[in-house]
Amino acid sequence: MENALCRRTAVALLVVAAACGGGAPSPSPVAATADTLHLPAPADSSLRDDPMSRSIRRGLSLLTNTRDSLPNHVGAQLRCVSCHLDQGRRAFAMPWVGAYGRFPQYRSRSGEVARLEERINDCIRRSLNGRALPTEGPEMRDIVSYVSWLSRGTVSGKRVRGNGIDSLTPLVPDTARGRLAFAQYCARCHAPDGQGMLAAQVANAGPPLWGAGSFNIGSGMARVRVMAAFVHRHMPFDQPGTVAEQASFDIAGFVTAQPRPDFPGKELDWPNGDPPPDVAYATKARRSAAKP
Ligand code: HEC
Ligand code: HEC
């Protein structure tokens, strides 16, 4: 987690673009937001027709067509890039750029050192509400190929600006206001009942935000602070940066209070009793009530 150093002001934009290593800034101050900045990574066009390039391409295909490609492993109506935006290149949307060099990594949620493959399976089991992939199988290998390729040129073990997600100053959500703001800002793409829409129904159709087709309670996105930060910077998809911080917390409070699939075993998370304060369930090591 990192502070929001890439601020979306026109004045700071040039500095931001340089510091974040993003693409050329747009001349228009309206379109010129930091929201769409990408971390520097190899271009798809640099892939050739050799075995390594083919593995990387297969990996990307799994990350973008996750449910169709891995029907026995995905429970949610989501794909990896539903959250890891722009094929894992978007700054502050948990980009995969550099992720290869950040593992193995100690994870307080499991209390163990995890390999990249295990971190990916965490997102499959929680964020896709699915079943883990065999770590030794060709699908996991190809996904790791893609992440390692995207990470080429980054410094191993070093976190850079734009990694992870914004860390906003926590605000107390008002879920009644959040319901109204959801209708105003989100329903047109994610549907008034939050169950998502189809591409045939609307441009930039958004996937489910709650209910059976959504990520389960064990996902990081089910935490108010994580969702508020994601929404504040990246949503609405076609107008990012237009939802104020308080409204983002209100909406996140409303959305995370809706029903979603359970994650059996969640009470064993954070075995050392150090869950973040916005985890919405009690853990054995520390009974924690959800806080903003
Ligand atoms: C519902 C949203 C969501 C979906 C879908 C999702 N993830 Fe994640 N992912 C997250 C969040 C949230 C984090 C943690 C960000 C943080 O707080 O550092 C994360 C973290 C990660 C990380 C660690 C990144 C780092 O820099 O340490 C990897 C790797 C990852 N996800 C891979 C995947 C893969 C592969 C898929 C599909 C199989 C996937 N994720 C699907 C939300 C999601
Ligand atoms: C213009 C359409 C649009 C609007 C409006 C919109 N979204 Fe999204 N949303 C998307 C798309 C598209 C994705 C990513 C889907 C993909 O690429 O697979 C997404 C992804 C998400 C995700 C991660 C995936 C998931 O479904 O859990 C969350 C959370 C989210 N949006 C919340 C919101 C919230 C809250 C609002 C209102 C502030 C909102 N969105 C407004 C289109 C939209």
Side-chain angles (χ1 to χ4, degrees):
M1 298 265 186
E2 223 183 323
N3 286 326
L5 293 169
C6 293
R7 286 285 169 203
R8 52 182 80 68
T9 62
V11 179
L13 186 77
L14 283 169
V15 180
V16 159
C20 298
S26 154
S28 147
V30 177
T33 64
D35 304 304
T36 48
L37 277 185
H38 293 169
L39 291 179
D44 287 358
S45 57
S46 68
L47 292 172
R48 300 279 175 256
D49 194 25
D50 52 273
M52 187 65 208
S53 293
R54 285 198 291 276
S55 171
I56 293 164
R57 270 205 210 86
R58 282 194 303 270
L60 175 58
S61 168
L62 289 164
L63 296 161
T64 48
N65 307 298
T66 322
R67 194 180 157 86
D68 294 342
S69 311
L70 304 169
N72 297 326
H73 295 276
V74 177
Q77 305 283 342
L78 295 172
R79 50 198 195 139
C80 304
V81 297
S82 300
C83 300
H84 299 274
L85 300 174
D86 300 338
Q87 308 183 343
R89 296 166 184 271
R90 176 94 64 100
F92 298 106
M94 304 83 69
W96 295 319
V97 179
Y100 188 73
R102 289 197 283 275
F103 290 85
Q105 181 192 97
Y106 172 76
R107 310 258 313 139
S108 58
R109 187 166 68 186
S110 61
E112 285 174 354
V113 173
R115 298 184 186 90
L116 177 58
E117 289 85 345
E118 291 164 319
R119 181 68 189 86
I120 289 168
N121 268 332
D122 268 354
C123 268
I124 293 183
R125 291 166 64 235
R126 296 164 186 257
S127 294
L128 294 180
N129 191 33
R131 282 209 304 265
L133 277 176
T135 20
E136 304 300 330
E139 290 92 359
M140 184 62 87
R141 180 202 59 205
D142 293 341
I143 290 175
V144 170
S145 288
Y146 178 77
V147 173
S148 82
W149 173 72
L150 211 55
S151 302
R152 275 185 201 171
T154 60
V155 179
S156 179
K158 188 173 178 226
R159 292 185 68 83
V160 300
R161 204 168 282 177
N163 283 165
I165 199 159
D166 282 305
S167 158
L168 302 181
T169 304
L171 299 170
V172 179
D174 178 327
T175 52
R177 273 198 322 241
R179 178 188 296 273
L180 297 174
F182 172 83
Q184 181 187 348
Y185 291 114
C186 322
R188 67 187 165 94
C189 295
H190 291 278
D193 63 359
Q195 305 303 290
M197 291 176 94
L198 302 172
Q201 294 175 288
V202 65
N204 294 317
L209 295 179
W210 67 84
S214 187
F215 50 86
N216 71 38
I217 186 78
S219 167
M221 195 59 88
R223 290 171 41 201
V224 169
R225 291 180 187 184
V226 174
M227 187 183 285
F230 182 87
V231 168
H232 180 57
R233 182 174 283 270
H234 303 294
M235 291 293 142
F237 195 76
D238 54 355
Q239 293 168 337
T242 55
V243 184
E245 293 194 17
Q246 181 64 58
S248 300
F249 273 90
D250 294 346
I251 293 171
F254 167 69
V255 171
T256 55
Q258 305 307 308
R260 63 181 59 262
D262 192 18
F263 181 63
K266 62 185 183 304
E267 66 281 359
L268 302 176
D269 284 350
W270 290 284
N272 297 317
D274 52 355
D278 57 338
V279 173
Y281 48 88
T283 54
K284 273 195 176 162
R286 191 173 99 192
R287 304 260 153 211
S288 65
K291 280 192 209 137

